[in-house]
């Protein structure tokens, strides 16, 4: 098959890292795989991670530009590549594409933040979790194939069975957008735990960085919160096992690749009670859950793990096995290929 993925940017984020891993395995098969990156100003490390077997094409559009030349260039390239499948990963991109006969257009929905918009022009839909599939069906009447996101489980170092650190090492990994990712809830919870000796790493960057920095200082915990911006993925996979607890305080979450990575590292996890994260921890079997937006409930769950860490770590080790079986990137890639073959032959 001739497969083309289209995305606006390759910058550090769950969707972008997933796509990099996906095409790495896809391009190792007999399939011809291309990635078209529409916008300029991409992350060099992430771009360099894409396999040399994959044909990478950069259009160099200025983000937000309405210049029609970029759409013309995109469609010219798509015509030259003669794909069997075009897999689009951003809603508005479907609005730039002129559909051709005999080409199957697939939209992978990675979030539940916006209406489908131009993405409704796709012929087929993939949802990254049951939560997304349910949202698409209920909100827009769209049926989709559920293919969970995947991660490179074999590259992630696992935490050994050791006592809690002193201070306790906490971590959360997400775009710094507190209106979606809820970092302010975590800071409020930790500030209320006067007797807890902790340090927190916030890995990621985004529009709420200054707000979150000021909030941490205002709550009196600024000296114990470290902002690590964009950590290279392989470095992250080698250091996750050094933490004690992973916390996902999101207010909206379709899946959470970062959660799957933390659980693969055998870290005890605490997550918002949302359908997406609940998929990763198998409906609560492999982590603790708290009411979204409730900092008091989150503080209680942190205390619960701290007070019985051996039980939490045992649960996490079983969770690591579950992630390996359910969300390894090789399994995800095989599901994508099966879906592509089915629609191409239909």
């Amino acid at each position: 098959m001739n497969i083309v993925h289209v995305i606006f940017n390759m910058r550090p984020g769950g969707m972008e890292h997933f796509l990099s891993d996906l095409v790495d395995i896809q391009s190792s098969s007999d399939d011809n795989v291309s990635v078209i990156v529409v916008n300029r100003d991409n992350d060099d490390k992430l771009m360099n991670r894409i396999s040399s077997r994959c044909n990478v094409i950069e259009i160099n559009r200025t983000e937000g530009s309405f210049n029609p030349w970029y759409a013309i260039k995109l469609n010219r390239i798509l015509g030259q590549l003669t794909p069997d499948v075009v897999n689009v990963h951003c809603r508005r991109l479907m609005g730039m594409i002129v559909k051709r006969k005999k080409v199957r257009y697939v939209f992978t929905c990675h979030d539940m933040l916006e209406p489908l918009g131009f993405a409704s022009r796709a012929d087929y839909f993939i949802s990254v979790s049951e939560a997304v599939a349910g949202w698409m069906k209920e909100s827009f009447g769209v049926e989709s194939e559920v293919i969970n996101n995947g991660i490179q489980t074999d590259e992630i170092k696992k935490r050994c069975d050791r006592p809690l650190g002193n201070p306790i090492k906490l971590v959360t990994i997400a775009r710094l957008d507190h209106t979606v990712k809820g970092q302010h809830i975590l800071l409020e919870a930790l500030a209320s735990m006067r007797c807890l000796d902790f340090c927190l790493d916030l890995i990621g960057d985004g529009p709420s960085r200054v707000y979150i920095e000021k909030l941490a200082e205002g709550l009196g915990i600024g000296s114990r919160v470290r902002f690590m911006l964009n950590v290279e993925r392989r470095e992250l996979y080698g250091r996750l096992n050094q933490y004690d607890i992973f916390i996902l305080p999101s207010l909206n979450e379709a899946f959470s690749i970062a959660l799957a990575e933390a659980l693969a590292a055998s870290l005890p996890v605490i997550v918002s009670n949302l359908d997406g994260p609940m998929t990763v921890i198998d409906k609560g079997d492999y982590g603790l859950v708290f009411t979204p937006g409730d900092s008091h409930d989150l503080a209680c769950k942190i205390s619960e793990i701290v007070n019985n860490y051996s039980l939490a770590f045992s649960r996490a080790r079983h969770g690591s096995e579950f992630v390996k079986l359910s969300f390894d990137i090789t399994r995800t890639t095989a599901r994508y290929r099966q879906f592509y073959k089915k629609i191409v032959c239909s």
Side-chain angles (χ1 to χ4, degrees):
M1 280 185 296
N2 195 351
I3 303 163
V4 179
H5 294 274
V6 189
I7 192 169
F8 268 127
N9 293 100
M10 288 298 287
R11 298 172 184 166
M15 174 177 66
E16 294 82 1
H17 284 292
F18 165 70
L19 180 58
S20 173
D21 291 342
L22 179 69
V23 300
D24 183 49
I25 298 179
Q26 285 182 336
S27 59
S28 66
S29 68
D30 294 332
D31 298 324
N32 294 316
V33 181
S34 301
V35 175
I36 299 177
V37 184
V38 173
N39 289 344
R40 64 181 64 182
D41 297 328
N42 296 291
D43 183 81
D44 290 338
K45 290 182 179 178
L46 190 53
M47 292 291 287
N48 291 335
R49 276 192 59 198
I50 300 176
S51 171
S52 59
R53 299 182 300 269
C54 180
N55 180 27
V56 180
I57 303 167
E58 297 181 73
I59 292 181
N60 291 315
R61 169 181 175 266
T62 301
E63 187 167 357
S65 172
F66 290 99
N67 188 332
W69 163 244
Y70 297 110
I72 294 169
K73 186 177 180 180
L74 171 61
N75 284 284
R76 181 181 298 167
I77 292 169
L78 285 172
Q80 293 169 348
L81 293 173
T82 63
D84 299 301
V85 176
V86 174
N87 198 156
V88 177
H89 295 269
C90 304
R91 291 167 171 80
R92 287 182 291 118
L93 278 172
M94 277 305 305
M96 296 176 64
I97 292 173
V98 177
K99 295 172 67 175
R100 290 175 168 84
K101 293 181 179 180
K102 298 183 179 181
V103 180
R104 274 61 173 179
Y105 295 89
V106 178
F107 171 65
T108 297
C109 190
H110 294 270
D111 63 63
M112 301 180 289
L113 297 174
E114 302 175 12
L116 282 181
F118 287 116
S120 61
R121 298 181 62 240
D123 303 316
Y124 304 92
F125 301 86
I126 293 173
S127 293
V128 300
S129 68
E130 291 285 355
V132 176
W135 173 75
M136 289 181 68
K137 174 66 174 176
E138 181 178 346
S139 301
F140 313 111
V142 171
E143 298 285 353
S144 59
E145 185 82 3
V146 177
I147 306 179
N148 293 132
N149 280 338
I151 61 171
Q152 296 185 350
T153 58
D154 289 340
E155 293 192 8
I156 299 173
K157 290 185 178 180
K158 292 180 173 53
R159 190 186 195 279
C160 63
D161 188 0
R162 67 175 188 272
L164 275 169
N166 185 22
I168 298 168
K169 296 180 180 179
L170 309 176
V171 63
T172 186
I173 306 168
R175 176 175 167 81
L176 295 184
D177 183 351
H178 71 285
T179 62
V180 177
K181 300 300 183 179
Q183 288 94 346
H184 61 300
I185 305 300
L186 174 56
L187 295 183
E188 291 166 2
L190 292 172
S192 70
M193 305 176 74
R194 302 294 183 185
C195 298
L196 184 69
D197 187 11
F198 73 90
C199 58
L200 169 67
D201 282 352
L202 291 168
I203 299 178
D205 200 358
S208 294
R209 178 183 171 189
V210 173
Y211 168 81
I212 296 169
E213 287 176 340
K214 290 181 177 179
L215 179 62
E217 291 294 337
L219 291 170
I221 58 173
S223 62
R224 292 187 281 174
V225 177
R226 182 167 58 164
F227 292 80
M228 299 188 66
L229 305 184
N230 296 316
V231 178
E232 204 278 327
R233 217 64 185 170
R234 285 185 173 82
E235 179 186 352
L236 178 66
Y237 283 5
R239 68 189 302 171
L240 267 176
N241 64 342
Q242 299 171 20
Y243 293 101
D244 298 311
I245 304 171
F246 173 89
I247 302 171
L248 185 77
S250 299
L251 300 170
N252 185 303
E253 196 72 60
F255 180 81
S256 183
I257 286 176
L259 171 59
E261 292 167 339
L263 202 51
S266 299
L267 286 188
V269 300
I270 305 172
V271 307
S272 299
N273 190 2
L274 301 170
D275 288 342
M278 291 294 278
T279 297
V280 182
I281 64 171
D282 199 19
K283 300 179 181 178
D285 284 353
Y286 302 117
L288 295 186
V289 301
F290 74 98
T291 303
D294 189 335
S295 60
H296 174 72
D297 192 21
L298 174 54
C300 290
K301 295 305 188 296
I302 295 172
S303 295
E304 186 175 335
I305 286 186
V306 170
N307 292 331
N308 197 347
Y309 194 75
S310 60
L311 175 62
F313 181 66
S314 176
R315 184 189 293 122
R317 282 197 298 188
H318 291 299
S320 179
E321 297 170 5
F322 172 73
V323 168
K324 171 70 175 176
L325 290 173
S326 304
F327 309 122
D328 188 83
I329 189 63
T330 56
R331 184 179 188 277
T332 299
T333 305
R335 290 287 313 283
Y336 265 82
R337 193 170 199 279
Q338 290 168 4
F339 182 68
Y340 291 159
K341 288 182 68 175
K342 180 177 72 174
I343 64 176
V344 167
C345 295
S346 63

